[in-house]
Amino acid sequence: MTESLLCGASAGRATNHPMDNNQELVAQGIGNIFIPFFGGIPATAAIARTSVAIKAGAQTRLTGIIHALILLLSMFLFAPFKTHIPLSALAGVLIMTAVRMNEWEAIRFLFKNKLKSGIIEFFVTMIITVIFDLSTAILAGIVVGFLLFIVKISQIEINSSQIEPERISQNHHEVFTDWTVIYISGPLFFLNSSKLKQAIDELPANTNAVLSLRGVPMIDVTSIKLLIDIYSIFHKEERQIVFASMNPKLKESFKRTGLISMVGEEAIYPSVNEFLLDLVDKNK
């Protein structure tokens, strides 16, 4: 499956004809179910032969059929002649095939722009291809890609700032002195939830908090549990905490876990500005 999808994706980029993944996998699955009854073994798309065919000007699916027929004829008719081909000549053909398979423009793009994650995946895949085989290298590259992605998304940004009365039309300095807005950018999950706790702990005593969640696309159970614990602490200390600018998916997670019922709908605001205006109205 992995090699078929890789082959199809590579061929699709080379020919500007995106592959239908479902069609490819269903066809491969049906073929591999029935081929053992005829003495065959499970097969997959071959990126080497596909790449060579495209470079040679292949246009239609007949390319694969013609290729198979030529291989069949070479086995039965040309085998005596092929035994006289020097292995060094075959090695040269393989080297040129490998060179032409590489997407040199994409490789140059990686190194020219110093894209560290892409360069790491490139070298990991290349080295494992040499040591083992392409399928193993692809799987290793996917795992490395996942790990690098997790490292990147775990680096959230949390900023705290005092509320500025100038953001609304009236001056009510005394209303905002006990409030701090905490802006969070990035997904909240178990790898970075401690950073949020640290930001809350660093707030001055008796300070109320507004959590602006506009930049938070998703949240996991660990982080929601942390918010529940933070709310409990604030409630015991007679401090207030409200949530602003959350997306619908985030709000649904808050509802399912009981956080909204705990803090109350009155502690949920569409934006920080709406909270500021509401705070002013309550203190008139």
Side-chain angles (χ1 to χ4, degrees), residues 116-240:
K116 294 180 180 178
S117 59
I119 293 172
I120 291 172
E121 291 179 45
F122 171 79
F123 279 115
V124 167
T125 306
M126 182 182 68
I127 292 170
I128 295 181
T129 300
V130 174
I131 297 175
F132 298 103
D133 56 59
L134 183 60
S135 298
T136 305
I138 294 166
L139 294 175
I142 292 172
V143 172
V144 171
F146 281 144
L147 293 176
L148 293 174
F149 177 74
I150 290 172
V151 170
K152 284 183 179 180
I153 65 172
S154 66
Q155 298 171 357
I156 63 168
E157 185 177 346
I158 299 178
N159 297 309
S160 302
S161 67
Q162 296 293 321
I163 294 176
E164 301 173 1
E166 295 79 12
R167 293 182 63 179
I168 58 175
S169 58
Q170 306 175 43
N171 263 339
H172 292 273
H173 293 269
E174 70 283 354
V175 175
F176 305 114
T177 53
D178 297 332
W179 287 90
T180 297
V181 181
I182 299 176
Y183 298 94
I184 307 171
S185 297
L188 272 172
F189 65 116
F190 64 95
L191 285 180
N192 55 30
S193 58
S194 59
K195 191 173 182 180
L196 173 60
K197 186 177 186 305
Q198 181 181 354
I200 297 290
D201 292 341
E202 290 175 354
L203 292 176
N206 301 320
T207 299
N208 304 311
V210 183
L211 295 186
S212 177
L213 304 173
R214 186 182 301 278
V216 181
M218 55 81 67
I219 188 169
D220 73 345
V221 177
T222 302
S223 299
I224 292 179
K225 183 65 170 61
L226 173 64
L227 291 177
I228 292 174
D229 294 340
I230 291 172
Y231 171 77
S232 300
I233 294 172
F234 270 56
H235 186 68
K236 289 179 182 178
E237 296 176 354
E238 298 184 348
R239 298 159 66 189
Q240 297 182 62

Side-chain angles (χ1 to χ4, degrees), residues 30-42:
I30 293 173
N32 286 332
I33 287 173
F34 287 102
I35 197 172
F37 294 104
F38 301 92
I41 60 174

Side-chain angles (χ1 to χ4, degrees), residues 12-39:
R13 286 196 300 270
T15 59
N16 291 321
H17 288 88
M19 179 185 71
D20 185 336
N21 293 338
N22 289 332
Q23 182 182 12
E24 174 68 20
L25 294 179
V26 168
Q28 287 281 346
I30 293 173
N32 286 332
I33 287 173
F34 287 102
I35 197 172
F37 294 104
F38 301 92

Side-chain angles (χ1 to χ4, degrees), residues 52 85-101:
V52 170
I85 299 176
L87 291 180
S88 56
L90 293 177
V93 172
L94 289 175
I95 290 172
M96 289 308 301
T97 300
V99 168
R100 295 177 68 185
M101 279 175 57

